[in-house]
Amino acid sequence: MKVDIDPQRRCFRGSAFVVGSILLVAIALDSSPIRAQVDPSNDYLLPPVAVQELFDRDKNLAELDRISPNGSHFLIPLSDELSSLELMARRTLRLGMLELMPEVDREWRLATYGIRGYDVYALEERRRWSIDVPEGSFVSDAIWSPDGSRLAFLAHLTESTQVWTADVNTGAAELLSDARVMATLAARGGAGVPSRMLQWMPDGSVLALLVPTDRGSEPEVDPVPTGPVVRRTREEATPTRTLPFLLRSEYDADLFRYYTTAQLTRLSSGQAPQPIGDPAMYLSIALSPDGRHILAEQLVEPFSYIVGYTSFGRNLNVLNLDGDVVSTIRQIPLYESSGRDNRPAANLPREVTWRPDGRGLSWLARTPKVAEEGDDTGDTEQQDRVMGVEAPFVVVEAKELTSTEGRFSDLLFDASGDHFFAEITEDGERTLFAYDMSVEPAAGQVLVSYDPDNVLELPGEMLTRQDGNGITTVVMSSNGQSAYLRGSGYGEQFTPQPFVDRVEIANGTTCLLYTSPSPRD
């Protein structure tokens, strides 16, 4: 339900509960008697001015957590929670749990509200200024250049999405290419999430996902059916979730394919776009630290009429800069059951990412189930493993770095590649380990163990930083002997009191470096 609260066609995205809350606030602030009236003009009725002012206030809080690669600047996104009736009224397609606006080749949320601008804060100068983003647009997917001097971002304009760049020191922005961006499947990250569709190349060019130049016009529905619509149930019980909008016909499938197929392209200032490989339904792209390979995930057919696109099949490939597949890391088939057991990706590589030290890829994976002699169930205990592989990224040649009977998560490396860190979940307890890469298999040291359900005792998370393309690195002390944990520090009243601890890798000893002077309200 949409409720307009502003004469300039601004509207609040909410529910009947929110509407009721607005009315209660209006009653509390306006003591005049309530009289039932019929507005002959049929215009929208507005609450008192005091209530309107609540929604007009800037609710952005500056969080200095998106630091540039050179450590000199922070990027501060500025978000809007409100949209307009004009934007909300534009044609919207809902296909396989993907909402998009076809007029602009854009995911629905990026077309109706979001980040309206960026500010930059200079650490040494203690000064803040704005990036000159195109007027009247939303923006997303901002990434730092390798040297931290420029930004690349998506500008979601009225008619299309384009790639822009900006000089960080002056705030001046310019159009990198007027090519139309396909901002549907991949452009869904939040303000603090690394871009899945923009990547800086070492030479200053930018990888992006564009609308294919030869895709033609939108598919048209044939009003004359070619036959009956037939749906067949599975031979066995197949539990499925109830989802609000799925693909219903071949025409829906054609539309989904049309508005999600993108062309991976290299964009350089003053030059024509350079296509890389063939168009595909890209979910994400990630450039290797040396700029020679691209980790790309793509949706593959067949589609389904009973699950959303996140359950469609997908391939994770390593591409070279010509778009050729160098290696296939995993292939997840279509999965139509809602059960958690026996998911097709259960034993496949997960948390696949580039190592920041440039030594290829790393991932987590379970060992395959192998039946013991005389047992045909294949229920022998599985090990969870940390794996690594260098070019040419042959999966069967991947090296096991360490293993556990528990479950690994949150795999991270330091910049030098001397250590990696991961959490192990076992019997309801989580343990953070640091692993020394100088021995084989890597030697693990317990840093901290905790109950994840005890909010008051959470030890915090590893302090990390990201390069311009989103590759994450653990922040280490200058001597390389310690890492850092930061957390919210919830007290008994569940008010946060942020803290930073230094933890020694050799023995897990922690030392409090900083805590907020007082709890935050």
Side-chain angles (χ1 to χ4, degrees):
M1 181 175 183
K2 311 297 188 303
V3 179
D4 192 271
I5 65 162
D6 187 279
Q8 302 301 320
R9 301 195 304 274
R10 300 177 73 189
C11 63
F12 187 83
R13 299 171 286 103
S15 63
F17 174 80
V18 177
V19 176
S21 300
I22 295 174
L23 293 178
L24 288 175
V25 173
I27 292 172
L29 295 177
D30 188 353
S31 59
S32 60
I34 299 177
R35 299 181 179 86
Q37 299 181 5
V38 177
D39 187 349
S41 66
N42 288 325
D43 290 337
Y44 289 98
L45 300 179
L46 303 178
V49 173
V51 176
Q52 297 181 48
E53 290 177 349
L54 292 176
F55 294 98
D56 287 334
R57 293 176 185 174
D58 188 351
K59 302 177 182 62
N60 287 282
L61 297 175
E63 296 184 4
L64 303 182
D65 58 358
R66 300 192 63 188
I67 192 169
S68 62
N70 57 13
S72 61
H73 297 93
F74 290 94
L75 183 66
I76 305 173
L78 306 174
S79 299
D80 266 347
E81 297 177 346
L82 303 177
S83 187
S84 70
L85 289 180
E86 181 180 4
L87 292 177
M88 301 289 283
R90 300 184 76 168
R91 180 189 173 211
T92 301
L93 296 178
R94 294 175 173 86
L95 304 166
M97 294 304 295
L98 176 67
E99 293 181 282
L100 58 92
M101 287 192 172
E103 294 179 359
V104 287
D105 294 293
R106 193 180 309 156
E107 201 269 338
W108 182 83
R109 290 165 184 80
L110 295 176
T112 52
Y113 65 96
I115 302 173
R116 57 175 167 78
Y118 295 114
D119 279 0
V120 174
Y121 179 78
L123 189 60
E124 293 184 0
E125 303 173 31
R126 297 292 194 270
R127 185 170 65 91
R128 177 173 174 173
W129 63 93
S130 297
I131 297 294
D132 297 329
V133 303
E135 185 176 355
S137 68
F138 296 113
V139 290
S140 72
D141 292 78
I143 56 173
W144 296 101
S145 63
D147 63 1
S149 66
R150 298 189 65 80
L151 286 171
F153 60 91
L154 296 181
H156 304 295
L157 306 170
T158 305
E159 301 300 329
S160 67
T161 294
Q162 299 172 339
V163 180
W164 284 58
T165 61
D167 186 313
V168 173
N169 294 299
T170 65
E174 61 182 3
L175 178 66
L176 177 62
S177 171
D178 61 1
R180 192 179 184 91
V181 172
M182 178 62 77
T184 52
L185 281 181
R188 292 167 59 84
V193 178
S195 177
R196 299 185 299 186
M197 61 174 301
L198 287 184
Q199 296 280 280
W200 279 102
M201 297 288 290
D203 64 355
S205 59
V206 176
L207 294 179
L209 298 176
L210 305 182
V211 173
T213 56
D214 59 349
R215 72 168 177 172
S217 58
E218 179 184 290
E220 295 183 359
V221 62
D222 188 347
V224 180
T226 58
V229 176
V230 179
R231 297 284 187 268
R232 294 185 176 89
T233 60
R234 303 298 187 271
E235 294 181 0
E236 299 178 356
T238 307
T240 55
R241 294 177 295 170
T242 300
L243 300 173
F245 49 89
L246 300 170
L247 300 181
R248 298 167 297 176
S249 64
E250 283 296 328
Y251 175 63
D252 280 357
D254 291 341
L255 286 175
F256 181 89
R257 187 183 303 107
Y258 182 83
Y259 285 110
T260 57
T261 299
Q263 174 64 62
L264 178 58
T265 306
R266 188 172 186 169
L267 301 177
S268 302
S269 180
Q271 300 181 26
Q274 303 174 9
I276 298 176
D278 297 324
M281 291 178 285
Y282 284 95
L283 289 162
S284 65
I285 57 172
L287 186 69
S288 62
D290 61 8
R292 299 175 60 185
H293 295 93
I294 304 163
L295 185 66
E297 188 161 30
Q298 305 161 351
L299 281 185
V300 293
E301 299 190 48
F303 299 146
S304 172
Y305 294 122
I306 62 175
V307 293
Y309 79 94
T310 55
S311 296
F312 293 176
R314 59 189 63 200
N315 293 342
L316 183 64
N317 298 317
V318 177
L319 311 178
N320 60 24
L321 296 185
D322 293 325
D324 302 321
V325 175
V326 175
S327 175
T328 297
I329 305 300
R330 71 181 178 212
Q331 293 177 303
I332 302 177
L334 170 67
Y335 186 67
E336 294 185 319
S337 173
S338 61
R340 301 189 64 175
D341 297 334
N342 300 317
R343 296 185 68 89
N347 295 323
L348 297 178
R350 66 185 193 278
E351 293 192 28
V352 183
T353 185
W354 294 110
R355 284 178 51 170
D357 58 5
R359 301 176 191 172
L361 290 166
S362 65
W363 64 77
L364 305 175
R366 305 287 284 178
T367 56
K369 287 187 176 182
V370 178
E372 294 180 344
E373 185 176 354
D375 178 13
D376 59 358
T377 62
D379 288 336
T380 56
E381 190 69 29
Q382 288 181 281
Q383 295 281 310
D384 209 18
R385 303 171 296 170
V386 178
M387 308 296 291
V389 67
E390 299 188 31
F393 315 108
V394 180
V395 174
V396 295
E397 297 178 2
K399 181 179 178 181
E400 179 181 307
L401 304 182
T402 191
S403 64
T404 179
E405 293 183 357
R407 175 88 170 175
F408 279 119
S409 62
D410 301 324
L411 176 63
L412 296 165
F413 286 78
D414 64 10
S416 65
D418 294 334
H419 299 89
F420 67 88
F421 304 80
E423 286 196 357
I424 296 177
T425 301
E426 192 169 13
D427 298 328
E429 185 177 70
R430 291 185 184 177
T431 304
L432 175 61
F433 280 84
Y435 291 89
D436 183 355
M437 293 279 287
S438 64
V439 296
E440 296 183 12
Q445 168 64 48
V446 175
L447 297 186
V448 63
S449 294
Y450 63 98
D451 178 0
D453 295 327
N454 187 350
V455 178
L456 304 184
E457 299 296 332
L458 295 180
E461 300 176 342
M462 298 295 300
L463 182 62
T464 61
R465 66 184 305 173
Q466 295 177 342
D467 68 5
N469 288 334
I471 296 177
T472 302
T473 305
V474 171
V475 175
M476 302 289 289
S477 61
S478 57
N479 62 7
Q481 302 301 309
S482 300
Y484 302 90
L485 297 171
R486 67 173 179 180
S488 299
Y490 288 106
E492 293 184 359
Q493 302 301 318
F494 293 97
T495 52
Q497 192 167 1
F499 68 90
V500 176
D501 282 345
R502 183 178 65 235
V503 55
E504 294 184 27
I505 295 175
N507 52 33
T509 301
T510 59
C511 173
L512 180 64
L513 296 183
Y514 167 82
T515 185
S516 177
S518 60
R520 294 181 179 177
D521 295 328

